[in-house]
Amino acid sequence: MIRSFKRLVSSLLIVCLAGLGLPAHAGMLPTQAGAADNERGQMLSILDRQEVRAGLEARGVSPADVKARVAAMSDDEVAQLAGQIEKLPAGGDVLGILLTVFIVLLITDILGFTKIFPFTRSVR
């Protein structure tokens, strides 16, 4: 009984952890001609953010100069830069990591490997 419960819980944990980190995006796919304009617009909107402007100015770079350079870039260069920016980590992953750690600790607490949470009872 306990062995089958442990196997069930570990199987569910594997499935849940395997599903984390797989982003799902829904939306219309732009045409190739529109994609370059869309990516260029994304770059310019990123440059309009307060923290980006402050970072550029702290490094001695004028935001107007950067916008002029983005406008002068070819479509391939803009696509490459947009791809690099999309791959950068965002600060929103902290909540997912904390939730994952909590679930793992909760399951190990229930299985009797740890005793962290006072509201759980071990199956042992």
Side-chain angles (χ1 to χ4, degrees):
M1 172 84 178
I2 293 175
R3 186 173 211 169
S4 63
F5 178 73
K6 285 182 182 180
R7 184 172 285 167
L8 173 70
V9 169
S10 63
S11 298
L12 288 174
L13 182 62
I14 290 170
V15 169
C16 289
L17 290 177
L20 291 177
L22 297 176
H25 301 284
M28 300 280 296
L29 294 176
T31 62
Q32 280 298 70
D37 293 336
N38 187 24
E39 290 169 342
R40 193 176 308 274
Q42 285 177 341
M43 295 297 108
L44 293 175
S45 69
I46 288 172
L47 293 172
D48 286 335
R49 293 182 185 170
Q50 177 72 24
E51 62 272 7
V52 174
R53 277 195 313 252
L56 289 172
E57 290 170 356
R59 288 169 179 81
V61 179
S62 168
D65 291 341
V66 175
K67 285 184 180 181
R69 287 188 181 197
V70 169
M73 293 173 102
S74 70
D75 291 344
D76 292 335
E77 291 171 334
V78 171
Q80 182 181 6
L81 182 61
Q84 289 175 352
I85 288 176
E86 287 178 6
K87 291 179 184 175
L88 292 175
D93 291 349
V94 173
L95 181 62
I97 291 170
L98 289 177
L99 183 63
T100 302
V101 168
F102 173 75
I103 291 172
V104 168
L105 291 175
L106 182 66
I107 290 173
T108 58
D109 212 20
I110 291 171
L111 293 177
F113 298 125
T114 61
K115 185 61 181 154
I116 297 171
F117 303 111
F119 55 85
T120 61
R121 259 192 271 180
S122 175
V123 293
R124 288 186 171 182

